[in-house]
């Protein structure tokens, strides 16, 4: 077939499948209110007419800034929408590199269709392509964990290639939100509520353990600040910053095994050790017993994926060996424990989150009120899931 004929065929095909008119539109919430705190995400379900005259159903997501007041100020302070747009634009550039290299691996992100600087992002609907979050109160088993941590290794490798090729600069990104003073303050309230809840509701044998947890906002902030300082002698990269189970979606085969994966929500990108992302992911996504029993396997899976990606694209800089990653995991383990204890109880909340955590009351009372003790009810899964980490955290402070 001649080139000119093939060109006409392609144009005709694209024209036939392109929407030319919207017939009807339905707008519905895309996620629960508490799943995406910083944004409001809605799904637009459309009935459209295509270029060939046929009707079809299309859908996409629209993400806008969430609420007013504290949340709005926080998103503005961290430039969350600007950060996400910048990252999506860089990832779209990387897709051209993948095509040039004939890399047939699936991309790890959704497509950004359009954006309004910097308050609104229109994205493809991954659910329409068969991608789903795991069950709300669930955590990753080993199969999900290996696929996700392999994807994180790929993503980290890609971010380093983007940096090396000048497509994404480490400069211009805010420090990690975990180290923000306001976030630390709210996290301390969660720790204080946890200590009170455990003393009142758990077996008395836990009281001497939580009594070791004596923190002030200043002492906790200074401890975390030390982890925010960049060690330029080590391997650093652009972290996802919010890589946990609610920002990871999977596609499944006929036997309900995970076979595809996407990472979403690139609002918290920051530069630093990959072990910050790793600790965040492992402590907020993986079933605790799976993480404890398969720690070395998961870190090796991550390291192999990272190096494979760097090597595939001929990265010329220094690459971390497995020992450096393991040492980094140990160095930043306090951050993982801290995140686990402040966030893990949330996994056992009822669907009506407002009855157990009242953000407005927390802010009004300086953390003295706002947490319902039911949040720390000694469910065996809660005690087993955070007991070992609670002891380790207390020991680091004694």
């Amino acid at each position: 077939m001649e080139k000119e004929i093939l060109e006409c065929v392609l144009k005709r095909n694209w024209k036939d499948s392109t929407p030319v008119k919207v017939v009807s539109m339905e707008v519905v919430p895309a996620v629960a209110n508490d799943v995406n705190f910083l944004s409001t995400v809605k799904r637009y379900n459309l009935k459209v007419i295509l270029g060939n005259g046929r009707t079809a159903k299309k859908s996409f997501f629209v993400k806008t800034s969430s609420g007013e007041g504290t949340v709005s100020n926080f998103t503005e302070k961290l430039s969350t929408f600007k950060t996400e747009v910048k990252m999506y634009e860089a990832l779209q550039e990387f897709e051209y590199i993948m095509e040039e290299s004939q890399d047939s691996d699936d991309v790890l992100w959704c497509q950004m269709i359009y954006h309004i600087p910097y308050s609104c992002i229109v994205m493809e609907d991954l659910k329409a392509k068969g991608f789903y979050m795991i069950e709300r109160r669930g955590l990753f088993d080993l199969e999900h964990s290996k696929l996700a941590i392999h994807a994180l290794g790929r993503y980290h490798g890609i971010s380093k290639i983007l940096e090396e090729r000048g497509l994404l600069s480490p400069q211009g990104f805010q420090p990690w939100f975990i180290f923000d003073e306001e976030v630390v303050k709210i996290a301390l309230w969660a720790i204080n509520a946890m200590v009170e809840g455990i003393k009142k509701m758990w077996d008395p044998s836990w009281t001497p353990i939580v009594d070791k947890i004596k923190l002030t906002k200043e002492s906790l902030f200074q401890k975390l600040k030390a982890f925010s300082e960049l060690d330029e002698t080590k391997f650093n990269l652009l972290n996802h910053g919010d890589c946990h189970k609610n920002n990871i979606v999977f596609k499944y085969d006929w036997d309900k095994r995970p076979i595809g994966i996407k990472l979403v929500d690139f609002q918290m990108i920051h530069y630093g050790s990959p072990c910050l992302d790793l600790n965040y992911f492992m402590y907020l996504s993986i079933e605790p017993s799976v993480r404890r029993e398969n720690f070395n396997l998961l870190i090796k899976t991550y390291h192999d994926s990272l190096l494979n990606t760097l090597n595939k694209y001929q990265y010329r800089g220094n690459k971390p060996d497995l020992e450096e990653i393991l040492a980094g995991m140990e160095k930043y383990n306090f951050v993982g424990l801290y995140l686990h204890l402040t966030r893990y109880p949330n996994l056992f909340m009822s669907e009506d989150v407002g009855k157990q955590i009242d953000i407005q009351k927390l802010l009004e009372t300086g953390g003295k009120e706002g947490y319902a003790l039911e949040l720390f009810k000694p469910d065996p899964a809660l005690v087993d899931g955070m007991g070992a980490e609670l002891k380790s955290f207390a020991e680091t402070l004694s």
Side-chain angles (χ1 to χ4, degrees):
M1 183 179 292
E2 295 181 3
K3 183 183 71 172
E4 290 76 12
I5 296 176
L6 183 57
E7 187 177 274
C8 289
V9 170
L10 293 174
K11 287 181 178 179
R12 171 75 177 272
N13 178 67
W14 288 329
K15 180 181 178 181
D16 286 351
S17 60
T18 300
V20 295
K21 185 177 181 179
V22 176
V23 177
S24 63
M25 180 175 72
E26 175 193 33
V27 183
V28 298
V31 296
N33 290 334
D34 59 295
V35 170
N36 203 333
F37 180 64
L38 295 178
S39 306
T40 297
V41 185
K42 294 184 178 180
R43 176 181 285 108
Y44 281 62
N45 297 317
L46 308 178
K47 183 178 180 181
V48 303
I49 297 177
L50 303 178
N52 60 11
R54 296 179 180 272
T55 60
K57 293 181 179 180
K58 301 287 183 180
S59 62
F60 54 88
F61 283 168
V62 176
K63 177 188 283 192
T64 55
S65 181
S66 180
E68 300 177 352
T70 302
V71 174
S72 179
N73 293 338
F74 187 70
T75 58
E76 184 176 348
K77 176 182 179 181
L78 295 183
S79 304
T80 55
F81 273 79
K82 186 174 183 179
T83 295
E84 187 157 30
V85 167
K86 188 189 299 186
M87 194 68 206
Y88 271 123
E89 289 175 340
L91 290 173
Q92 287 175 338
E93 288 295 320
F94 191 80
E95 290 181 38
Y96 294 122
I97 298 175
M98 292 179 69
E99 290 177 6
E100 291 170 4
S101 305
Q102 295 185 316
D103 185 347
S104 60
D105 286 342
D106 289 338
V107 298
L108 294 171
W109 48 90
C110 70
Q111 300 299 311
M112 180 177 70
I113 299 169
Y114 180 74
H115 76 276
I116 300 174
Y118 287 105
S119 60
C120 176
I121 301 175
V122 181
M123 300 174 292
E124 68 173 331
D125 180 3
L126 290 175
K127 189 174 181 180
K129 294 192 172 183
F131 288 88
Y132 297 89
M133 290 170 53
I134 67 165
E135 185 266 325
R136 172 177 160 72
R137 288 179 57 176
L139 290 167
F140 295 171
D141 59 17
L142 183 57
E143 198 166 13
H144 284 81
S145 299
K146 288 175 66 178
L147 182 57
I149 208 162
H150 181 274
L152 184 58
R154 271 191 67 204
Y155 167 76
H156 279 173
I158 288 168
S159 79
K160 200 64 181 175
I161 299 300
L162 289 170
E163 179 189 341
E164 183 181 50
R165 300 194 182 190
L167 296 172
L168 197 61
S169 171
Q171 284 72 42
F173 288 97
Q174 297 287 347
W176 196 21
F177 79 103
I178 291 298
F179 302 131
D180 182 84
E181 283 194 72
E182 287 300 305
V183 174
V184 172
K185 178 180 71 175
I186 294 172
L188 180 61
W189 296 343
I191 291 173
N192 291 339
M194 176 194 71
V195 169
E196 180 184 357
I198 289 175
K199 283 184 173 182
K200 290 184 177 180
M201 302 191 73
W202 288 27
D203 184 276
S205 62
W206 288 98
T207 297
I209 294 171
V210 295
D211 275 344
K212 297 177 182 178
I213 302 176
K214 301 184 188 306
L215 288 164
T216 64
K217 176 189 169 184
E218 291 71 25
S219 65
L220 179 57
F221 179 69
Q222 289 303 318
K223 195 169 183 66
L224 290 171
K225 186 179 179 181
F227 293 112
S228 70
E229 296 171 358
L230 186 68
D231 184 350
E232 296 183 355
T233 67
K234 302 298 182 184
F235 184 78
N236 297 292
L237 45 73
L238 281 157
N239 284 265
H240 179 282
D242 202 15
C243 188
H244 66 95
K245 74 183 193 75
N246 288 345
N247 289 330
I248 301 172
V249 291
F250 296 94
K251 179 179 280 190
Y252 297 88
D253 69 5
W254 60 273
D255 204 23
K256 297 184 179 179
R257 292 175 299 191
I259 56 171
I261 187 169
K262 302 282 185 183
L263 308 179
V264 300
D265 209 350
F266 296 92
Q267 295 183 323
M268 300 298 180
I269 303 298
H270 68 98
Y271 197 74
S273 169
C275 297
L276 292 170
D277 252 1
L278 274 171
N279 268 292
Y280 190 87
F281 166 73
M282 292 186 74
Y283 277 101
L284 295 182
S285 304
I286 302 175
E287 184 67 42
S289 61
V290 173
R291 168 173 44 80
R292 296 168 194 150
E293 295 166 11
N294 299 278
F295 180 86
N296 287 338
L297 169 64
L298 291 169
I299 296 303
K300 186 177 186 307
T301 300
Y302 165 82
H303 183 257
D304 288 346
S305 177
L306 172 66
L307 258 60
N308 286 340
T309 304
L310 294 174
N311 291 334
K312 179 186 291 186
Y313 289 97
Q314 290 87 48
Y315 176 69
R316 293 167 293 181
N318 293 328
K319 303 166 193 171
D321 56 25
L322 182 58
E323 287 68 30
E324 180 177 331
I325 299 298
L326 287 169
M329 291 302 290
E330 184 175 354
K331 174 181 177 179
Y332 295 104
N333 187 55
F334 177 86
V335 178
L337 292 170
Y338 157 77
L339 290 166
H340 185 73
L341 296 179
T342 55
R343 302 278 293 276
Y344 187 74
N346 298 2
L347 297 171
F348 295 89
M349 290 190 297
S350 66
E351 293 298 324
D352 192 356
V353 179
K355 289 183 178 180
Q356 298 194 355
I357 298 182
D358 187 332
I359 296 294
Q360 190 60 40
K361 185 173 287 189
L362 281 169
L363 294 171
E364 290 174 354
T365 65
K368 295 178 181 178
E369 298 178 29
Y371 281 96
L373 287 184
E374 288 79 7
L375 184 63
F376 306 101
K377 185 178 180 180
D379 183 304
L382 181 65
V383 177
D384 292 344
M386 62 187 291
E389 288 72 23
L390 185 61
K391 292 177 182 177
S392 295
F393 187 75
E395 287 301 317
T396 66
L397 300 173
S398 60

